[in-house]
Amino acid sequence: MRSFCRSAPCARKSFRLGIVRAQGALLHVLLLACLVFASATHAQAIEPMPFANHAQEVRFQQLTAQLRCPMCQNETLADSNAPIARDLRNQIFQLMQHGQSDEQIKQYLVARYSDYVLYDPPLKLGTMLLWFGPLLILLGGAGVVLMAIRKRSRAGTTAGMPSDSTPTDNGDDW
Amino acid sequence: MSRLLPFFAFVLLVELFGFGIWWNTQHDPQAIPSPLLNKPAPAFVLPKLYEPTVTVSKSDLLGKPYLLNVFASWCVECGVEHPVLQAEAPTLGVLLVGYDYKDAPEDAKHWLAEHGNPYGVLIADQPGQTAIDFGVYGAPESFLIDGKGVIRYKHIGPMTEDVVTSELKPAIAALQKETP
């Protein structure tokens, strides 16, 4: 929207508006630069591979994004630039060309690098605590809350009694 | 009593954090337990570093236990480990097999000429394909393989004097007791 100013305050306001607009533009440029550089480094990490078709490429990207690089620990095989990640990506590509399913490829890697390579850990005896630990903590928290509520309600009924003449603790800690 | 409860909760938290710090000093958080432990080592056929036309296979090495040491000239930690291997190789009582991992043969030869060669057998895996079968993800890594070709012990990271005396030598002694 464009308006013409005839008064000083209005001119000042439109000047400030101009600054805000300039800042906005600068922000846009910065964000764009971030985006460009981010995609540039991403492209460096992943060398082009001779995929048979687009579907295979998508499948490859999805599979490698679910697998953890054993060397660089908090990166996926898709993101990592470590030599071992490159080798494993090549290996996965080769296995795909040989018609192996995602599950078979995962098994291949687990047999060599243990469950560690899976970002989604399987449910088994050793991972019970991992899967159900949060539930245990939630139940424990619920227990504490229940106990506190019971105590409060008991304290509340006794505090109202006239026989209890000590005013020091009405059960309200806060 | 109920006023002390937050204090006890605090003590519990401090203990939990303390345990976390202690636990991380006790083990290497980077080391991944190998699923290949106590399983047959993968089959391999690799050329010798100094005679690339001659290959060494898993079956060639069967019969006696050996220590397979994965190293490379580009690996910094291997330089840390190397003096220990040089000093300990004659006293280990098993064959030390060098596994040159993803290395240019010329670089490896220069490196060994400079730092010394403690290895009885030296094989080279330039493409790094066989190393994937061994679950290798970095160097140095060491595998103790028994006479039947089963991986009995694995160490990830540089072999230190400490590891040699507290882990490797007892593992070798246990093997030698089994197969006199």
Side-chain angles (χ1 to χ4, degrees):
Chain A
M1 258 200 278
R2 210 164 271 268
S3 62
F4 295 99
C5 287
R6 295 223 172 95
S7 67
C10 170
R12 247 181 271 135
K13 198 175 169 188
S14 82
F15 177 66
R16 263 191 240 120
L17 215 74
I19 288 180
V20 169
R21 283 221 184 95
Q23 280 175 339
L26 194 69
L27 200 69
H28 277 167
V29 169
L30 273 175
L31 281 176
L32 207 70
C34 284
L35 214 77
V36 166
F37 283 117
S39 59
T41 51
H42 197 71
Q44 259 175 9
I46 309 235
E47 64 280 16
M49 280 178 174
F51 291 106
N53 50 48
H54 183 64
Q56 195 183 52
E57 186 176 347
V58 169
R59 192 187 142 205
F60 179 84
Q61 297 296 357
Q62 280 174 348
L63 182 61
T64 50
Q66 288 167 35
L67 296 165
R68 174 150 60 166
C69 165
M71 184 67 202
C72 27
Q73 313 249 320
N74 282 327
E75 279 184 303
T76 63
L77 278 185
D79 291 334
S80 178
N81 212 5
I84 183 68
R86 206 169 307 150
D87 286 357
L88 289 178
R89 277 201 299 270
N90 280 328
Q91 192 65 26
I92 290 169
F93 178 75
Q94 293 304 329
L95 291 174
M96 271 187 171
Q97 303 308 310
H98 287 106
Q100 298 235 19
S101 71
D102 286 6
E103 212 40 55
Q104 279 173 315
I105 292 171
K106 280 184 187 171
Q107 280 310 311
Y108 171 91
L109 287 170
V110 167
R112 285 155 181 77
Y113 293 97
S114 79
D115 287 338
Y116 198 94
V117 292
L118 303 176
Y119 266 114
D120 192 7
L123 180 60
K124 55 184 193 184
L125 207 66
T127 56
M128 281 293 193
L129 199 65
L130 189 67
W131 276 88
F132 299 111
L135 191 71
L136 281 180
I137 292 171
L138 193 72
L139 286 177
V144 169
V145 167
L146 254 172
M147 261 165 59
I149 288 173
R150 270 197 201 159
K151 210 179 124 200
R152 288 273 168 97
S153 61
R154 231 183 295 134
T157 50
T158 51
M161 285 184 184
S163 60
D164 192 6
S165 57
T166 49
T168 46
D169 194 354
N170 61 351
D172 188 3
D173 284 345
W174 315 103
Chain B
M1 184 59 203
S2 76
R3 286 188 185 272
L4 278 178
L5 213 61
F7 175 70
F8 286 130
F10 174 73
V11 169
L12 200 74
L13 271 182
V14 167
E15 275 172 9
L16 206 66
F17 286 133
F19 174 77
I21 291 169
W22 173 82
W23 178 240
N24 272 320
T25 57
Q26 289 308 106
H27 82 294
D28 178 8
Q30 297 268 318
I32 303 171
S34 175
L36 292 166
L37 215 57
N38 294 320
K39 295 212 179 108
F44 60 88
V45 181
L46 289 168
K48 285 189 168 184
L49 179 66
Y50 287 107
E51 299 162 85
T53 50
V54 183
T55 57
V56 176
S57 70
K58 186 192 170 187
S59 51
D60 291 338
L61 294 169
L62 286 179
K64 276 184 179 171
Y66 59 97
L67 185 71
L68 188 80
N69 176 245
V70 180
F71 76 100
S73 66
W74 48 260
C75 145
V76 181
E77 299 269 273
C78 299
V80 176
E81 164 185 86
H82 211 67
V84 178
L85 289 180
Q86 287 272 75
E88 295 290 342
T91 65
L92 284 181
V94 293
L95 177 67
L96 185 58
V97 178
Y99 187 111
D100 187 26
Y101 173 55
K102 285 179 76 85
D103 212 355
E106 287 316 307
D107 292 348
K109 286 174 195 167
H110 279 306
W111 193 82
L112 288 167
E114 194 182 323
H115 294 91
N117 180 2
Y119 303 110
V121 175
L122 249 171
I123 49 181
D125 180 11
Q126 210 177 337
Q129 183 77 27
T130 308
I132 293 178
D133 290 336
F134 270 95
V136 169
Y137 61 89
E141 289 186 18
S142 303
F143 298 83
L144 181 64
I145 298 170
D146 70 11
K148 291 179 192 123
V150 175
I151 297 175
R152 300 299 291 271
Y153 165 77
K154 181 184 180 185
H155 179 72
I156 295 165
M159 260 307 162
T160 58
E161 289 287 353
D162 248 16
V163 175
V164 170
T165 49
S166 67
E167 290 178 21
L168 181 61
K169 284 193 170 168
I172 291 173
L175 272 190
Q176 281 163 344
K177 217 177 281 175
E178 257 170 51
T179 47

PDB file of all heavy atoms in Angstrom, chain B residues 141-162:
ATOM      1  N   GLU B 141      41.474 -50.860  14.533  1.00  0.00           N
ATOM      2  CA  GLU B 141      40.639 -51.855  15.196  1.00  0.00           C
ATOM      3  C   GLU B 141      41.443 -53.158  15.203  1.00  0.00           C
ATOM      4  O   GLU B 141      42.232 -53.390  14.287  1.00  0.00           O
ATOM      5  CB  GLU B 141      39.320 -52.075  14.433  1.00  0.00           C
ATOM      6  CG  GLU B 141      38.364 -50.909  14.540  1.00  0.00           C
ATOM      7  CD  GLU B 141      37.002 -51.191  13.914  1.00  0.00           C
ATOM      8  OE1 GLU B 141      36.660 -52.365  13.706  1.00  0.00           O
ATOM      9  OE2 GLU B 141      36.287 -50.223  13.640  1.00  0.00           O
ATOM     10  N   SER B 142      41.263 -53.959  16.236  1.00  0.00           N
ATOM     11  CA  SER B 142      42.024 -55.211  16.327  1.00  0.00           C
ATOM     12  C   SER B 142      41.087 -56.369  16.650  1.00  0.00           C
ATOM     13  O   SER B 142      40.215 -56.248  17.508  1.00  0.00           O
ATOM     14  CB  SER B 142      43.092 -55.110  17.421  1.00  0.00           C
ATOM     15  OG  SER B 142      43.935 -54.014  17.169  1.00  0.00           O
ATOM     16  N   PHE B 143      41.285 -57.481  15.918  1.00  0.00           N
ATOM     17  CA  PHE B 143      40.478 -58.685  16.122  1.00  0.00           C
ATOM     18  C   PHE B 143      41.398 -59.827  16.522  1.00  0.00           C
ATOM     19  O   PHE B 143      42.388 -60.087  15.830  1.00  0.00           O
ATOM     20  CB  PHE B 143      39.780 -59.083  14.824  1.00  0.00           C
ATOM     21  CG  PHE B 143      38.821 -58.064  14.275  1.00  0.00           C
ATOM     22  CD1 PHE B 143      39.274 -57.003  13.503  1.00  0.00           C
ATOM     23  CD2 PHE B 143      37.466 -58.169  14.525  1.00  0.00           C
ATOM     24  CE1 PHE B 143      38.390 -56.065  12.988  1.00  0.00           C
ATOM     25  CE2 PHE B 143      36.571 -57.243  14.014  1.00  0.00           C
ATOM     26  CZ  PHE B 143      37.031 -56.186  13.243  1.00  0.00           C
ATOM     27  N   LEU B 144      41.056 -60.511  17.608  1.00  0.00           N
ATOM     28  CA  LEU B 144      41.777 -61.739  17.953  1.00  0.00           C
ATOM     29  C   LEU B 144      40.967 -62.907  17.404  1.00  0.00           C
ATOM     30  O   LEU B 144      39.808 -63.101  17.795  1.00  0.00           O
ATOM     31  CB  LEU B 144      41.939 -61.852  19.470  1.00  0.00           C
ATOM     32  CG  LEU B 144      42.692 -63.087  19.956  1.00  0.00           C
ATOM     33  CD1 LEU B 144      44.136 -63.076  19.469  1.00  0.00           C
ATOM     34  CD2 LEU B 144      42.662 -63.179  21.475  1.00  0.00           C
ATOM     35  N   ILE B 145      41.565 -63.645  16.467  1.00  0.00           N
ATOM     36  CA  ILE B 145      40.866 -64.731  15.786  1.00  0.00           C
ATOM     37  C   ILE B 145      41.541 -66.051  16.152  1.00  0.00           C
ATOM     38  O   ILE B 145      42.773 -66.154  16.090  1.00  0.00           O
ATOM     39  CB  ILE B 145      40.873 -64.490  14.263  1.00  0.00           C
ATOM     40  CG1 ILE B 145      40.131 -63.184  13.957  1.00  0.00           C
ATOM     41  CG2 ILE B 145      40.236 -65.661  13.511  1.00  0.00           C
ATOM     42  CD1 ILE B 145      40.260 -62.688  12.556  1.00  0.00           C
ATOM     43  N   ASP B 146      40.754 -67.036  16.583  1.00  0.00           N
ATOM     44  CA  ASP B 146      41.351 -68.299  17.045  1.00  0.00           C
ATOM     45  C   ASP B 146      41.652 -69.237  15.871  1.00  0.00           C
ATOM     46  O   ASP B 146      41.386 -68.911  14.707  1.00  0.00           O
ATOM     47  CB  ASP B 146      40.468 -68.962  18.120  1.00  0.00           C
ATOM     48  CG  ASP B 146      39.161 -69.508  17.557  1.00  0.00           C
ATOM     49  OD1 ASP B 146      39.019 -69.558  16.330  1.00  0.00           O
ATOM     50  OD2 ASP B 146      38.287 -69.871  18.363  1.00  0.00           O
ATOM     51  N   GLY B 147      42.215 -70.409  16.196  1.00  0.00           N
ATOM     52  CA  GLY B 147      42.660 -71.351  15.167  1.00  0.00           C
ATOM     53  C   GLY B 147      41.530 -71.861  14.290  1.00  0.00           C
ATOM     54  O   GLY B 147      41.761 -72.316  13.164  1.00  0.00           O
ATOM     55  N   LYS B 148      40.279 -71.781  14.804  1.00  0.00           N
ATOM     56  CA  LYS B 148      39.142 -72.239  14.007  1.00  0.00           C
ATOM     57  C   LYS B 148      38.540 -71.105  13.188  1.00  0.00           C
ATOM     58  O   LYS B 148      37.517 -71.283  12.530  1.00  0.00           O
ATOM     59  CB  LYS B 148      38.074 -72.824  14.934  1.00  0.00           C
ATOM     60  CG  LYS B 148      38.512 -74.124  15.585  1.00  0.00           C
ATOM     61  CD  LYS B 148      37.398 -74.628  16.497  1.00  0.00           C
ATOM     62  CE  LYS B 148      37.916 -75.741  17.382  1.00  0.00           C
ATOM     63  NZ  LYS B 148      37.746 -75.457  18.813  1.00  0.00           N
ATOM     64  N   GLY B 149      39.139 -69.922  13.297  1.00  0.00           N
ATOM     65  CA  GLY B 149      38.651 -68.791  12.499  1.00  0.00           C
ATOM     66  C   GLY B 149      37.510 -68.032  13.154  1.00  0.00           C
ATOM     67  O   GLY B 149      36.765 -67.331  12.469  1.00  0.00           O
ATOM     68  N   VAL B 150      37.371 -68.190  14.483  1.00  0.00           N
ATOM     69  CA  VAL B 150      36.299 -67.486  15.191  1.00  0.00           C
ATOM     70  C   VAL B 150      36.870 -66.234  15.858  1.00  0.00           C
ATOM     71  O   VAL B 150      37.945 -66.279  16.456  1.00  0.00           O
ATOM     72  CB  VAL B 150      35.652 -68.405  16.256  1.00  0.00           C
ATOM     73  CG1 VAL B 150      34.618 -67.648  17.080  1.00  0.00           C
ATOM     74  CG2 VAL B 150      35.033 -69.625  15.602  1.00  0.00           C
ATOM     75  N   ILE B 151      36.143 -65.118  15.737  1.00  0.00           N
ATOM     76  CA  ILE B 151      36.576 -63.868  16.375  1.00  0.00           C
ATOM     77  C   ILE B 151      36.316 -63.975  17.878  1.00  0.00           C
ATOM     78  O   ILE B 151      35.182 -64.161  18.317  1.00  0.00           O
ATOM     79  CB  ILE B 151      35.819 -62.659  15.795  1.00  0.00           C
ATOM     80  CG1 ILE B 151      36.133 -62.500  14.312  1.00  0.00           C
ATOM     81  CG2 ILE B 151      36.192 -61.382  16.543  1.00  0.00           C
ATOM     82  CD1 ILE B 151      35.336 -61.417  13.618  1.00  0.00           C
ATOM     83  N   ARG B 152      37.366 -63.872  18.689  1.00  0.00           N
ATOM     84  CA  ARG B 152      37.205 -64.084  20.124  1.00  0.00           C
ATOM     85  C   ARG B 152      37.270 -62.798  20.925  1.00  0.00           C
ATOM     86  O   ARG B 152      36.820 -62.726  22.067  1.00  0.00           O
ATOM     87  CB  ARG B 152      38.295 -65.050  20.614  1.00  0.00           C
ATOM     88  CG  ARG B 152      38.233 -66.399  19.935  1.00  0.00           C
ATOM     89  CD  ARG B 152      36.905 -67.101  20.208  1.00  0.00           C
ATOM     90  NE  ARG B 152      36.820 -67.483  21.592  1.00  0.00           N
ATOM     91  CZ  ARG B 152      37.266 -68.645  22.075  1.00  0.00           C
ATOM     92  NH1 ARG B 152      37.771 -69.532  21.250  1.00  0.00           N
ATOM     93  NH2 ARG B 152      37.172 -68.900  23.345  1.00  0.00           N
ATOM     94  N   TYR B 153      37.871 -61.780  20.339  1.00  0.00           N
ATOM     95  CA  TYR B 153      38.020 -60.529  21.069  1.00  0.00           C
ATOM     96  C   TYR B 153      38.175 -59.424  20.046  1.00  0.00           C
ATOM     97  O   TYR B 153      38.772 -59.627  18.990  1.00  0.00           O
ATOM     98  CB  TYR B 153      39.246 -60.604  21.983  1.00  0.00           C
ATOM     99  CG  TYR B 153      39.720 -59.281  22.532  1.00  0.00           C
ATOM    100  CD1 TYR B 153      39.045 -58.662  23.582  1.00  0.00           C
ATOM    101  CD2 TYR B 153      40.843 -58.644  22.004  1.00  0.00           C
ATOM    102  CE1 TYR B 153      39.472 -57.447  24.076  1.00  0.00           C
ATOM    103  CE2 TYR B 153      41.280 -57.435  22.498  1.00  0.00           C
ATOM    104  CZ  TYR B 153      40.591 -56.834  23.532  1.00  0.00           C
ATOM    105  OH  TYR B 153      41.009 -55.623  24.010  1.00  0.00           O
ATOM    106  N   LYS B 154      37.601 -58.247  20.361  1.00  0.00           N
ATOM    107  CA  LYS B 154      37.773 -57.114  19.457  1.00  0.00           C
ATOM    108  C   LYS B 154      38.069 -55.876  20.271  1.00  0.00           C
ATOM    109  O   LYS B 154      37.451 -55.643  21.313  1.00  0.00           O
ATOM    110  CB  LYS B 154      36.503 -56.899  18.627  1.00  0.00           C
ATOM    111  CG  LYS B 154      36.663 -55.733  17.646  1.00  0.00           C
ATOM    112  CD  LYS B 154      35.388 -55.432  16.883  1.00  0.00           C
ATOM    113  CE  LYS B 154      35.651 -54.265  15.932  1.00  0.00           C
ATOM    114  NZ  LYS B 154      34.443 -53.826  15.238  1.00  0.00           N
ATOM    115  N   HIS B 155      39.017 -55.108  19.790  1.00  0.00           N
ATOM    116  CA  HIS B 155      39.274 -53.825  20.427  1.00  0.00           C
ATOM    117  C   HIS B 155      39.152 -52.725  19.377  1.00  0.00           C
ATOM    118  O   HIS B 155      39.742 -52.804  18.312  1.00  0.00           O
ATOM    119  CB  HIS B 155      40.664 -53.793  21.061  1.00  0.00           C
ATOM    120  CG  HIS B 155      40.963 -52.478  21.709  1.00  0.00           C
ATOM    121  ND1 HIS B 155      40.367 -52.078  22.885  1.00  0.00           N
ATOM    122  CD2 HIS B 155      41.768 -51.454  21.337  1.00  0.00           C
ATOM    123  CE1 HIS B 155      40.798 -50.875  23.205  1.00  0.00           C
ATOM    124  NE2 HIS B 155      41.652 -50.464  22.282  1.00  0.00           N
ATOM    125  N   ILE B 156      38.362 -51.695  19.711  1.00  0.00           N
ATOM    126  CA  ILE B 156      38.187 -50.552  18.811  1.00  0.00           C
ATOM    127  C   ILE B 156      38.995 -49.393  19.365  1.00  0.00           C
ATOM    128  O   ILE B 156      38.918 -49.103  20.559  1.00  0.00           O
ATOM    129  CB  ILE B 156      36.696 -50.177  18.705  1.00  0.00           C
ATOM    130  CG1 ILE B 156      35.923 -51.316  18.045  1.00  0.00           C
ATOM    131  CG2 ILE B 156      36.508 -48.888  17.913  1.00  0.00           C
ATOM    132  CD1 ILE B 156      34.429 -51.221  18.214  1.00  0.00           C
ATOM    133  N   GLY B 157      39.770 -48.763  18.518  1.00  0.00           N
ATOM    134  CA  GLY B 157      40.621 -47.663  18.954  1.00  0.00           C
ATOM    135  C   GLY B 157      42.029 -48.165  19.189  1.00  0.00           C
ATOM    136  O   GLY B 157      42.310 -49.355  19.054  1.00  0.00           O
ATOM    137  N   PRO B 158      42.949 -47.248  19.527  1.00  0.00           N
ATOM    138  CA  PRO B 158      44.349 -47.653  19.645  1.00  0.00           C
ATOM    139  C   PRO B 158      44.593 -48.637  20.784  1.00  0.00           C
ATOM    140  O   PRO B 158      43.997 -48.531  21.850  1.00  0.00           O
ATOM    141  CB  PRO B 158      45.090 -46.327  19.889  1.00  0.00           C
ATOM    142  CG  PRO B 158      44.045 -45.356  20.285  1.00  0.00           C
ATOM    143  CD  PRO B 158      42.753 -45.815  19.721  1.00  0.00           C
ATOM    144  N   MET B 159      45.460 -49.627  20.507  1.00  0.00           N
ATOM    145  CA  MET B 159      45.928 -50.562  21.530  1.00  0.00           C
ATOM    146  C   MET B 159      46.879 -49.801  22.460  1.00  0.00           C
ATOM    147  O   MET B 159      47.900 -49.304  22.009  1.00  0.00           O
ATOM    148  CB  MET B 159      46.771 -51.635  20.859  1.00  0.00           C
ATOM    149  CG  MET B 159      46.150 -52.957  20.575  1.00  0.00           C
ATOM    150  SD  MET B 159      45.386 -53.744  21.929  1.00  0.00           S
ATOM    151  CE  MET B 159      44.397 -54.901  21.022  1.00  0.00           C
ATOM    152  N   THR B 160      46.543 -49.707  23.706  1.00  0.00           N
ATOM    153  CA  THR B 160      47.463 -49.082  24.651  1.00  0.00           C
ATOM    154  C   THR B 160      48.105 -50.176  25.496  1.00  0.00           C
ATOM    155  O   THR B 160      47.643 -51.317  25.493  1.00  0.00           O
ATOM    156  CB  THR B 160      46.706 -48.106  25.576  1.00  0.00           C
ATOM    157  OG1 THR B 160      45.685 -48.842  26.260  1.00  0.00           O
ATOM    158  CG2 THR B 160      46.061 -46.990  24.775  1.00  0.00           C
ATOM    159  N   GLU B 161      49.162 -49.829  26.213  1.00  0.00           N
ATOM    160  CA  GLU B 161      49.810 -50.793  27.113  1.00  0.00           C
ATOM    161  C   GLU B 161      48.772 -51.372  28.084  1.00  0.00           C
ATOM    162  O   GLU B 161      48.782 -52.563  28.388  1.00  0.00           O
ATOM    163  CB  GLU B 161      50.932 -50.114  27.904  1.00  0.00           C
ATOM    164  CG  GLU B 161      52.154 -49.747  27.071  1.00  0.00           C
ATOM    165  CD  GLU B 161      52.994 -50.963  26.685  1.00  0.00           C
ATOM    166  OE1 GLU B 161      52.700 -52.072  27.173  1.00  0.00           O
ATOM    167  OE2 GLU B 161      53.930 -50.791  25.876  1.00  0.00           O
ATOM    168  N   ASP B 162      47.900 -50.484  28.551  1.00  0.00           N
ATOM    169  CA  ASP B 162      46.850 -50.877  29.488  1.00  0.00           C
ATOM    170  C   ASP B 162      45.950 -51.961  28.920  1.00  0.00           C
ATOM    171  O   ASP B 162      45.669 -52.964  29.571  1.00  0.00           O
ATOM    172  CB  ASP B 162      45.969 -49.646  29.781  1.00  0.00           C
ATOM    173  CG  ASP B 162      46.128 -49.192  31.210  1.00  0.00           C
ATOM    174  OD1 ASP B 162      47.111 -49.635  31.840  1.00  0.00           O
ATOM    175  OD2 ASP B 162      45.271 -48.416  31.679  1.00  0.00           O
TER     176      ASP B 162
END
